[in-house]
Amino acid sequence: PPPRAPPPPPPRAPPRHMRDHWDIYQKGAQQLTRETKVLFQKVPASMVMQYQEVSADMVKTAQDILYGLLGDFVNHVSSLLFGVMLTMLYTLFWLCSPVPMDSNIDIMFRKYIMFKTLACFGYGICVGLLLAALSIDLASVFALTTFALNYVPEVGPFVAMFLPCPIILLDSRLERPMLVMLTAVLGQLALKFAFSNIIEVKLIESDKKLRMHPVMIVLSVGVFGHLW
């Protein structure tokens, strides 16, 4: 009789059913551990020893830094609490009695928030479609996370880029998880460049009142770069 076709791969688990497919990620973790052991077996013993020494030094340095940060935090906890309370009071007073603004400034601010939200929404949708096309679980969750983190300038999108990496590496259904992870990161970098430097800029420039003169842009970059 003719050979049977291989069974189709299991469907991608939605977020609420991911717990039921936890054995897939356990298998992926075991596979990643075996590949790491095989890789270390091919490395000369001298390099392994050197790696272990460097790793021990890095762990000790990180531990010292962490203890120092914790000590500074404990020593300055009172000032931190005072700063948090003061910020909350400022925010409360601002919400209860807003600072009067000119109507034009209020309209410009609302338009900027609207354009920024549109850019974040488009970026999140594109990231979700990219991850779904690569058959990565929780694509919708990562799309929503990308939408929220894109409001944080520069840092937020890069944090969102690396959030799917553990899911990709531990998914045993992927034949080449490293290649998929590299494709996902590079694709998100390309989307980040397109939305931040082209689409969002064009959206803001569509309103003449939100445009800035090039001299003001260069001056602002110089001043705030010096402050940073």
Side-chain angles (χ1 to χ4, degrees):
R4 295 181 178 180
R12 292 287 151 181
R16 63 179 180 275
H17 292 155
M18 191 173 177
R19 183 178 59 181
D20 300 333
H21 297 264
W22 194 248
D23 56 334
I24 295 175
Y25 296 94
Q26 289 179 342
K27 182 179 178 182
Q30 295 173 359
Q31 181 179 352
L32 183 62
T33 303
R34 287 195 301 268
E35 292 177 355
T36 305
K37 289 182 179 179
V38 171
L39 180 63
F40 272 101
Q41 288 176 359
K42 297 179 180 179
V43 177
S46 58
M47 293 185 63
V48 174
M49 292 293 296
Q50 185 177 2
Y51 170 78
Q52 292 176 350
E53 293 176 358
V54 171
S55 299
D57 293 340
M58 291 179 61
V59 170
K60 187 177 183 303
T61 303
Q63 185 178 3
D64 294 340
I65 293 174
L66 181 61
Y67 286 162
L69 291 175
L70 288 176
D72 293 338
F73 177 78
V74 172
N75 292 333
H76 299 86
V77 65
S78 58
S79 59
L80 288 174
L81 290 176
F82 178 75
V84 170
M85 292 179 61
L86 199 60
T87 304
M88 292 177 64
L89 286 175
Y90 282 146
T91 306
L92 182 62
F93 290 148
W94 192 300
L95 293 175
C96 294
S97 180
V99 177
M101 282 192 298
D102 185 65
S103 59
N104 292 328
I105 297 177
D106 183 55
I107 293 173
M108 290 173 59
F109 183 74
R110 291 176 183 273
K111 285 186 176 180
Y112 173 77
I113 295 297
M114 182 185 68
F115 290 147
K116 182 67 176 178
T117 302
L118 287 175
C120 293
F121 182 76
Y123 179 57
I125 291 293
C126 291
V127 169
L129 293 175
L130 172 66
L131 298 180
L134 294 174
S135 299
I136 298 173
D137 280 343
L138 304 179
S140 58
V141 176
F142 292 128
L144 182 61
T145 306
T146 302
F147 166 74
L149 289 177
N150 200 39
Y151 283 99
V152 182
E154 300 303 326
V155 179
F158 287 99
V159 172
M161 287 179 194
F162 292 98
L163 289 179
C165 291
I167 300 295
I168 299 173
L169 291 176
L170 297 179
D171 195 341
S172 61
R173 295 169 293 184
L174 299 175
E175 295 181 359
R176 297 180 178 179
M178 293 296 296
L179 180 60
V180 174
M181 183 181 69
L182 183 62
T183 304
V185 172
L186 292 179
Q188 291 180 86
L189 278 174
L191 290 173
K192 165 71 170 60
F193 176 82
F195 274 88
S196 297
N197 299 297
I198 301 176
I199 297 177
E200 187 174 342
V201 174
K202 293 299 181 182
L203 282 174
I204 295 176
E205 285 184 349
S206 63
D207 191 333
K208 294 182 180 180
K209 293 182 179 180
L210 292 177
R211 294 180 182 178
M212 291 183 64
H213 196 277
V215 175
M216 292 300 299
I217 295 176
V218 174
L219 181 62
S220 301
V221 170
V223 171
F224 289 105
H226 178 72
L227 293 176
W228 180 262

